[in-house]
Amino acid sequence: MNRDGIENGLDGRRPANRARFRRRIGDALEDFEDVPVRTLVFVCGHEIEDASSAIGLDSVNGKPRRRREVDAFWPATTAVAAVLAGVLGWFLRTWPPHEDEALALFVGRGSLGHVLHTVVAERGGAPLHFGFAWLVVHLGGGLTGLRIVSLVFAVASVPLIALLGARLADRMTGVVAAALASGSWVMMFHGIYGRMYSLFLFTSLLSFLALLAALDRGGRRRFALWGAALLLMLASHPYAVLVVAAQGLFILLRRRRVREAIVTLAAVGVVGIPFWWADLVLRDRFDVGVGGGGPRLGSPTSVLHYFWWVAGDFSAGHHAWSTPVLLLALVGAVLLWQHRRDSLALFACVIAVPAVAFMLATLNSTASPEARHLIFALPFFSVLVAAPIVELGRRGGRLAPAAALIALAVLLTGEVRWTHQKTPPLFDGDPPGEAQARDAAGGWLAATYRPSDVLLGYEPVYLQAWERNRSFSGHTLPRADPALLASSLKDIPEPLGRGVWVFDASDTTNLKERQTIPLVTPSPHSAFEARAYGPFLVIRSRRPLVTRAHYLSVSEEVMRLGRRLQIGDADINLRTLLRAESLL
């Protein structure tokens, strides 16, 4: 061979150049042989001693694996994210508008300073979510824009779930876990619903990935990134404190880079004071205490039942599906115990911290957690369920890959079925005529409003009116919280304008859901005007109510009418108004 790499003089320079290129580029993936996390691969038929791959297994018979691999991790993850984006985008406007979505948008109508003060000092909750609502409003958007925010963060969570699964188990398990999480009710519903839960999922995933990177590789920059991720998460939801506690417990159990982690947590504790304050405000509003034994949760049995229910919402539902899904998760935990005990320790922390917190907390019915409050645990549960499916595909014989694909397809089908069973309007929309009735009610209010009108509750009808007329009244009073209602009423300068109230006979809180409602008014009838549109009854005082005391007394009469019409919210509203009257 000469200096140009030509072995035979008859070959010429071109074959030698091709051989040199193959040596430099063609086998570059061999560098990944020493990576402890296995890749999702299409395997070439040569240079393989054993094509099986257990979780975390890097050698066969003590010898390193040698294989040519074409990594399909990112194409597969991208495909999962694209499918989820397509499904969520298709059904984005199908789910009927909700009061909580109207709340975020109406609060977002103020200045950014006003929004932050309202959330941190008055309402409590998630400043980052309301910040996005403010941005949507001031960019000229409405309900669709708010839901797009939820969609974006849900889809952006998919690659983070795959990465976390790859870090905790292996890359193929990460992709399967991302697919299972994407098909779950929790992801599908909160990828559309314009609240903060997909944002909470996204920021919690960032914090877990940043934590693992900081503990593994160290460095101020990585710990600073972890601290920044924690702050974003704390701004996303009050339950982020459970994630911080779980990560702190994991750091103590792992006993690695503890000093740097404690310094980071201390800095987060100081910088995050506004978020802690917002959490305290929300706790006081919902009367959350310590000591256990409340109407909801507060005991080991009730917490276990709650976790069982959450597992159903994280997968294919309850009853017939519960046992096989939980058995899969148990097998996944055993596999992690055998190969990735650090990963299983993190799983245990993510479950143990909320369990202890819920047993110690005193929660009433309005503050009791639901599956969405543990959305940060969804990726971990999905990894547990995915691990045995992937293991079956690797070690079960010639037909095992097909069996694993069938198992995955069955689970995904069950998840979609449960999503439709739990929230039919997510796919089916409003009953016939209800959306048109809501639009008509909002159109009448938008055409006949006055800027001084005072609205009770964040009714979707008001949202429809505001989307038609952006100058629609912003004097909106919250329901179900006497202190906040009284405070909000004090903020409205006297003389007050007309009172506006809406009853919805189709609401799920009613004893009986109806698609029509009688056209009636409180006494004296001459003091009110009303319109009935399908299940919606819109009542408005003909004259301004002038004083706060008069507004409350008139509202109480309207709510008594609502009780006679068997409107579920009317009874709650009446009690709230009576309490607010005593506070004023």
Short mmCIF file of all heavy atoms in Angstrom, two decimals, residues 26-33 35 37-44 46 48 53 65-72 171:
data_model
loop_
_atom_site.label_atom_id
_atom_site.label_comp_id
_atom_site.label_asym_id
_atom_site.label_seq_id
_atom_site.Cartn_x
_atom_site.Cartn_y
_atom_site.Cartn_z
N GLY A 26 -18.27 5.51 8.55
CA GLY A 26 -19.26 4.43 8.53
C GLY A 26 -19.45 3.76 9.86
O GLY A 26 -20.55 3.30 10.17
N ASP A 27 -18.41 3.64 10.69
CA ASP A 27 -18.54 2.94 11.95
C ASP A 27 -18.51 3.89 13.14
O ASP A 27 -18.15 3.52 14.25
CB ASP A 27 -17.42 1.91 12.11
CG ASP A 27 -17.55 0.79 11.09
OD1 ASP A 27 -18.70 0.50 10.72
OD2 ASP A 27 -16.52 0.22 10.68
N ALA A 28 -18.90 5.14 12.89
CA ALA A 28 -18.83 6.12 13.99
C ALA A 28 -19.72 5.75 15.15
O ALA A 28 -19.45 6.08 16.30
CB ALA A 28 -19.22 7.51 13.46
N LEU A 29 -20.83 5.02 14.88
CA LEU A 29 -21.74 4.67 15.97
C LEU A 29 -21.15 3.66 16.93
O LEU A 29 -21.71 3.40 17.98
CB LEU A 29 -23.05 4.13 15.40
CG LEU A 29 -23.97 5.18 14.79
CD1 LEU A 29 -25.16 4.50 14.12
CD2 LEU A 29 -24.44 6.15 15.83
N GLU A 30 -19.98 3.07 16.58
CA GLU A 30 -19.35 2.17 17.53
C GLU A 30 -18.94 2.89 18.80
O GLU A 30 -18.75 2.28 19.84
CB GLU A 30 -18.12 1.51 16.88
CG GLU A 30 -18.51 0.52 15.78
CD GLU A 30 -17.29 -0.15 15.17
OE1 GLU A 30 -16.17 0.18 15.62
OE2 GLU A 30 -17.45 -0.98 14.27
N ASP A 31 -18.81 4.24 18.72
CA ASP A 31 -18.46 4.99 19.93
C ASP A 31 -19.52 4.88 20.99
O ASP A 31 -19.26 5.13 22.17
CB ASP A 31 -18.25 6.47 19.58
CG ASP A 31 -17.03 6.67 18.69
OD1 ASP A 31 -16.17 5.77 18.67
OD2 ASP A 31 -16.97 7.72 18.01
N PHE A 32 -20.74 4.50 20.59
CA PHE A 32 -21.82 4.41 21.56
C PHE A 32 -21.86 3.07 22.27
O PHE A 32 -22.73 2.83 23.09
CB PHE A 32 -23.17 4.65 20.87
CG PHE A 32 -23.38 6.06 20.46
CD1 PHE A 32 -23.11 6.47 19.17
CD2 PHE A 32 -23.84 6.99 21.37
CE1 PHE A 32 -23.30 7.78 18.79
CE2 PHE A 32 -24.04 8.31 21.00
CZ PHE A 32 -23.76 8.71 19.70
N GLU A 33 -20.92 2.17 21.99
CA GLU A 33 -20.97 0.85 22.61
C GLU A 33 -20.80 0.92 24.12
O GLU A 33 -21.29 0.07 24.84
CB GLU A 33 -19.87 -0.03 22.01
CG GLU A 33 -20.18 -0.42 20.56
CD GLU A 33 -18.98 -1.10 19.91
OE1 GLU A 33 -17.92 -1.13 20.57
OE2 GLU A 33 -19.11 -1.60 18.79
N VAL A 35 -21.90 3.35 26.05
CA VAL A 35 -22.94 4.14 26.71
C VAL A 35 -23.85 3.19 27.47
O VAL A 35 -24.35 2.22 26.90
CB VAL A 35 -23.74 4.94 25.68
CG1 VAL A 35 -24.88 5.68 26.35
CG2 VAL A 35 -22.82 5.93 24.98
N VAL A 37 -26.85 3.43 28.47
CA VAL A 37 -28.26 3.43 28.06
C VAL A 37 -28.34 2.90 26.65
O VAL A 37 -27.75 3.46 25.73
CB VAL A 37 -28.84 4.86 28.13
CG1 VAL A 37 -30.26 4.86 27.64
CG2 VAL A 37 -28.77 5.36 29.55
N ARG A 38 -29.08 1.82 26.45
CA ARG A 38 -29.16 1.20 25.13
C ARG A 38 -29.97 2.07 24.19
O ARG A 38 -30.92 2.72 24.58
CB ARG A 38 -29.82 -0.18 25.20
CG ARG A 38 -29.11 -1.16 26.11
CD ARG A 38 -27.62 -1.25 25.87
NE ARG A 38 -27.32 -1.44 24.48
CZ ARG A 38 -26.13 -1.23 23.98
NH1 ARG A 38 -25.15 -0.79 24.73
NH2 ARG A 38 -25.91 -1.41 22.70
N THR A 39 -29.61 2.06 22.91
CA THR A 39 -30.33 2.85 21.93
C THR A 39 -31.45 2.06 21.30
O THR A 39 -31.42 0.83 21.25
CB THR A 39 -29.37 3.29 20.81
OG1 THR A 39 -28.72 2.14 20.29
CG2 THR A 39 -28.36 4.28 21.34
N LEU A 40 -32.45 2.78 20.84
CA LEU A 40 -33.50 2.18 20.04
C LEU A 40 -32.95 2.00 18.63
O LEU A 40 -32.54 2.96 17.99
CB LEU A 40 -34.71 3.10 20.01
CG LEU A 40 -35.88 2.70 19.13
CD1 LEU A 40 -36.48 1.41 19.63
CD2 LEU A 40 -36.91 3.80 19.10
N VAL A 41 -32.87 0.78 18.15
CA VAL A 41 -32.04 0.53 16.99
C VAL A 41 -32.75 -0.32 15.95
O VAL A 41 -33.68 -1.07 16.25
CB VAL A 41 -30.74 -0.21 17.38
CG1 VAL A 41 -29.87 0.63 18.27
CG2 VAL A 41 -31.06 -1.55 18.03
N PHE A 42 -32.27 -0.16 14.72
CA PHE A 42 -32.42 -1.17 13.69
C PHE A 42 -31.05 -1.85 13.61
O PHE A 42 -30.04 -1.20 13.35
CB PHE A 42 -32.77 -0.53 12.35
CG PHE A 42 -34.06 0.19 12.37
CD1 PHE A 42 -34.09 1.58 12.29
CD2 PHE A 42 -35.25 -0.49 12.49
CE1 PHE A 42 -35.28 2.26 12.31
CE2 PHE A 42 -36.44 0.19 12.51
CZ PHE A 42 -36.47 1.57 12.42
N VAL A 43 -30.97 -3.14 13.82
CA VAL A 43 -29.69 -3.82 14.01
C VAL A 43 -29.25 -4.47 12.71
O VAL A 43 -30.02 -5.20 12.08
CB VAL A 43 -29.81 -4.89 15.11
CG1 VAL A 43 -28.46 -5.54 15.34
CG2 VAL A 43 -30.32 -4.27 16.38
N CYS A 44 -28.01 -4.17 12.33
CA CYS A 44 -27.44 -4.84 11.18
C CYS A 44 -27.13 -6.29 11.54
O CYS A 44 -26.90 -6.62 12.69
CB CYS A 44 -26.16 -4.13 10.72
SG CYS A 44 -26.45 -2.43 10.22
N HIS A 46 -24.56 -8.28 11.02
CA HIS A 46 -23.21 -8.76 11.32
C HIS A 46 -22.67 -8.07 12.55
O HIS A 46 -23.19 -7.09 13.04
CB HIS A 46 -22.30 -8.51 10.11
CG HIS A 46 -22.23 -7.07 9.72
ND1 HIS A 46 -23.23 -6.47 9.01
CD2 HIS A 46 -21.28 -6.12 9.95
CE1 HIS A 46 -22.91 -5.20 8.79
NE2 HIS A 46 -21.73 -4.96 9.36
N ILE A 48 -22.68 -9.01 15.67
CA ILE A 48 -23.53 -9.08 16.85
C ILE A 48 -23.32 -10.42 17.54
O ILE A 48 -23.47 -11.47 16.92
CB ILE A 48 -25.02 -8.95 16.48
CG1 ILE A 48 -25.25 -7.68 15.69
CG2 ILE A 48 -25.88 -9.00 17.72
CD1 ILE A 48 -26.67 -7.55 15.22
N SER A 53 -31.24 -7.55 24.86
CA SER A 53 -30.79 -6.37 25.61
C SER A 53 -31.67 -6.19 26.82
O SER A 53 -32.80 -5.78 26.72
CB SER A 53 -30.83 -5.12 24.73
OG SER A 53 -30.52 -3.99 25.50
N ARG A 65 -20.45 -5.39 23.66
CA ARG A 65 -21.21 -5.59 22.43
C ARG A 65 -20.55 -4.84 21.28
O ARG A 65 -20.02 -3.75 21.47
CB ARG A 65 -22.64 -5.05 22.58
CG ARG A 65 -23.47 -5.79 23.60
CD ARG A 65 -24.85 -5.17 23.64
NE ARG A 65 -25.67 -5.82 24.64
CZ ARG A 65 -26.36 -6.92 24.41
NH1 ARG A 65 -26.34 -7.47 23.22
NH2 ARG A 65 -27.08 -7.47 25.35
N ARG A 66 -20.62 -5.42 20.10
CA ARG A 66 -20.19 -4.70 18.91
C ARG A 66 -21.30 -4.85 17.90
O ARG A 66 -21.64 -5.95 17.47
CB ARG A 66 -18.88 -5.26 18.37
CG ARG A 66 -17.70 -5.05 19.31
CD ARG A 66 -16.41 -5.54 18.67
NE ARG A 66 -16.13 -4.82 17.43
CZ ARG A 66 -15.56 -3.63 17.38
NH1 ARG A 66 -15.21 -3.01 18.48
NH2 ARG A 66 -15.34 -3.04 16.22
N ARG A 67 -21.91 -3.74 17.50
CA ARG A 67 -22.99 -3.77 16.53
C ARG A 67 -23.02 -2.45 15.78
O ARG A 67 -22.58 -1.42 16.29
CB ARG A 67 -24.35 -3.98 17.20
CG ARG A 67 -24.70 -2.87 18.18
CD ARG A 67 -26.13 -3.00 18.68
NE ARG A 67 -26.30 -4.22 19.43
CZ ARG A 67 -27.44 -4.58 19.99
NH1 ARG A 67 -28.50 -3.82 19.88
NH2 ARG A 67 -27.53 -5.71 20.67
N ARG A 68 -23.52 -2.51 14.59
CA ARG A 68 -23.78 -1.28 13.86
C ARG A 68 -25.22 -0.91 14.12
O ARG A 68 -26.13 -1.72 13.94
CB ARG A 68 -23.55 -1.50 12.37
CG ARG A 68 -22.08 -1.74 12.04
CD ARG A 68 -21.86 -1.72 10.56
NE ARG A 68 -20.45 -1.87 10.26
CZ ARG A 68 -19.94 -1.76 9.04
NH1 ARG A 68 -20.73 -1.49 8.02
NH2 ARG A 68 -18.65 -1.91 8.85
N GLU A 69 -25.43 0.30 14.52
CA GLU A 69 -26.76 0.72 14.93
C GLU A 69 -27.18 1.96 14.17
O GLU A 69 -26.38 2.86 13.92
CB GLU A 69 -26.77 1.05 16.44
CG GLU A 69 -26.39 -0.16 17.30
CD GLU A 69 -26.31 0.18 18.77
OE1 GLU A 69 -26.13 1.38 19.09
OE2 GLU A 69 -26.45 -0.72 19.59
N VAL A 70 -28.43 1.99 13.79
CA VAL A 70 -29.03 3.19 13.24
C VAL A 70 -30.02 3.67 14.27
O VAL A 70 -31.02 3.02 14.54
CB VAL A 70 -29.72 2.90 11.89
CG1 VAL A 70 -30.37 4.17 11.36
CG2 VAL A 70 -28.73 2.34 10.90
N ASP A 71 -29.72 4.75 14.93
CA ASP A 71 -30.51 5.21 16.07
C ASP A 71 -31.84 5.78 15.59
O ASP A 71 -31.88 6.78 14.87
CB ASP A 71 -29.70 6.27 16.82
CG ASP A 71 -30.36 6.65 18.13
OD1 ASP A 71 -31.49 6.21 18.36
OD2 ASP A 71 -29.73 7.37 18.92
N ALA A 72 -32.94 5.14 16.03
CA ALA A 72 -34.28 5.60 15.67
C ALA A 72 -34.97 6.31 16.82
O ALA A 72 -36.18 6.54 16.77
CB ALA A 72 -35.13 4.42 15.20
N ARG A 171 -33.40 3.76 26.05
CA ARG A 171 -34.00 4.64 25.06
C ARG A 171 -35.30 4.07 24.48
O ARG A 171 -36.25 4.81 24.25
CB ARG A 171 -32.98 4.98 23.98
CG ARG A 171 -31.87 5.89 24.49
CD ARG A 171 -30.67 5.90 23.58
NE ARG A 171 -30.88 6.66 22.36
CZ ARG A 171 -30.59 7.95 22.22
NH1 ARG A 171 -30.13 8.65 23.24
NH2 ARG A 171 -30.76 8.56 21.06
#
